Structures are given as structure tokens and as C-alpha cells.
Amino acid sequence: MWIDRIVDVTAWSQEPEGAGWDQVEAELGVALPTDFKELCRRFVPGMFSGYLTLLRPTDEHDFTPLLSMWAGGRQVEGQSEFGAQIHAPYGVYGPDKGLGLIQWGYDLTEGDYYWLVDRSVEPDRWPVVSRTEAGEPWSRFDMSTAEFVYRMLADPEFKPITVADPPRRAFYLPYWAPYPSTDEEWKAFIDPNRKS
């Protein structure tokens, strides 16, 4: 299971917490991939390798929830031709559309991560599409969200998305945890021999 691999590679150990997706899915008019919801349940709000953030159902940690990002994308797309070009050629998913994008994550360097939603396909089979910044070409990955996250963290050959940098170890940093501020703290955090 890809989520277990993510747990192993990050040395993450904490009790899962519930993340309610019912209201979000009702408003979207579509269920979300089960592996993504499980990833959010197993990892409290935070960042993978100080880089990748998953969108959540609520904003209880002062970050934008998935539904707000989706609604904002729809609003921008509907305001002007320029706004419509931001997500071209796919467009933002809407309950009235059969195909479109729903954002599930972002990174510290302006990268955005989406599912290419197709109502005729079960959510666990939606591809991931991403780009490094607005206006750049899209990259498509025919894999689950959890596999994508694992490969980003652990596979140095997963170009152009990887943040894997052996011999450094991937990690997970909850938002409530202190951010490493010295070189020594960072070295300890990314030490490949670190157990937890």
C-alpha cells in the first residue's frame, strides 16, 4: 500500500485523526479518491519534506481548505478570458461538467497538484495533473495520489516532480511542530539513520 510506504519513508508515527469529507463531496457533487482521504487521515495537517501540503476539508490550521480552493478557481475562471486560460485546456471541475480539475495540493515553489476529474471514471482512477507554476505545461501522471506523493518524496528519478535527494531522508513536519532553524537541526531531521 502506497500510504504505508509514505509512512515508512517519512518515519511518521502518530495516531490517525478523522477528517470529514462528506460536506466537501456533497458540494462538489462527486466522491474524492479514497487513498487521498486516507492520507489526510493518517497525516495531521503539515508538510511533506517541508515542501508539499495537502488540502484539507477545513481550515482549522489557518490554511485554505480544498473546497475554498475549488470555489476560488471556479470564480477566477468565470471572471475573464485570462482567468479561463489559467486551467486550460482542462478547466476547473463543476458539478454541471463531466471533466475538469480539482486541486488537492500545492508546494512551496508555486507548484499545484490536481486530479483530472472524470465523472465516468471511479475517483481512485483519476490521473494526477500538475505543473510547476501557472502558465507552464501540464504533466499528467496515471497513478493514484498516494503513489504520486510517495514517488515525489522517495524516487529521485521521478522528474520533474521529485524532491528526493539521497542520502537525505524524507520527513513529515506537522504545522504545530517547531520548524528546524539551525543547520544541526536540519541535519538531524534529514539524517537517513533517523528512526522517528
Side-chain angles (χ1 to χ4, degrees), residues 82-116:
F82 173 75
Q85 290 302 311
I86 292 174
H87 297 101
Y90 304 114
V92 176
Y93 168 81
D96 55 334
K97 295 170 62 176
L99 189 71
L101 299 174
I102 294 177
Q103 186 172 358
W104 59 263
Y106 61 91
D107 66 40
L108 290 181
T109 61
E110 299 184 19
D112 295 316
Y113 306 94
Y114 298 82
W115 296 292
L116 181 54

Side-chain angles (χ1 to χ4, degrees), residues 8-11 167-171 189-195:
D8 289 343
V9 78
T10 60
R168 297 179 189 166
R169 182 175 185 140
F171 61 90
F189 221 68
I190 61 176
D191 183 343
N193 298 315
R194 175 175 54 90
K195 297 294 181 209

Side-chain angles (χ1 to χ4, degrees), residues 55-163:
L55 297 178
R56 304 292 175 146
T58 68
D59 62 355
E60 63 186 70
H61 293 275
D62 295 326
F63 287 86
T64 306
L66 186 141
L67 206 51
S68 294
M69 291 293 278
W70 172 73
R74 290 191 75 197
Q75 182 179 9
V76 167
E77 188 173 88
Q79 288 179 338
S80 68
E81 189 174 314
F82 173 75
Q85 290 302 311
I86 292 174
H87 297 101
Y90 304 114
V92 176
Y93 168 81
D96 55 334
K97 295 170 62 176
L99 189 71
L101 299 174
I102 294 177
Q103 186 172 358
W104 59 263
Y106 61 91
D107 66 40
L108 290 181
T109 61
E110 299 184 19
D112 295 316
Y113 306 94
Y114 298 82
W115 296 292
L116 181 54
V117 176
D118 181 345
R119 291 176 68 115
S120 69
V121 173
E122 76 176 70
D124 292 334
R125 295 184 51 223
W126 294 340
V128 170
V129 293
S130 68
R131 61 181 173 195
T132 53
E133 60 184 74
E136 291 293 314
W138 294 96
S139 296
R140 177 182 168 137
F141 303 89
D142 291 309
M143 61 183 61
S144 71
T145 312
E147 180 181 356
F148 180 89
V149 171
Y150 173 79
R151 292 193 184 282
M152 172 190 274
L153 298 174
D155 183 354
E157 302 302 315
F158 192 54
K159 307 283 184 188
I161 306 299
T162 189
V163 294

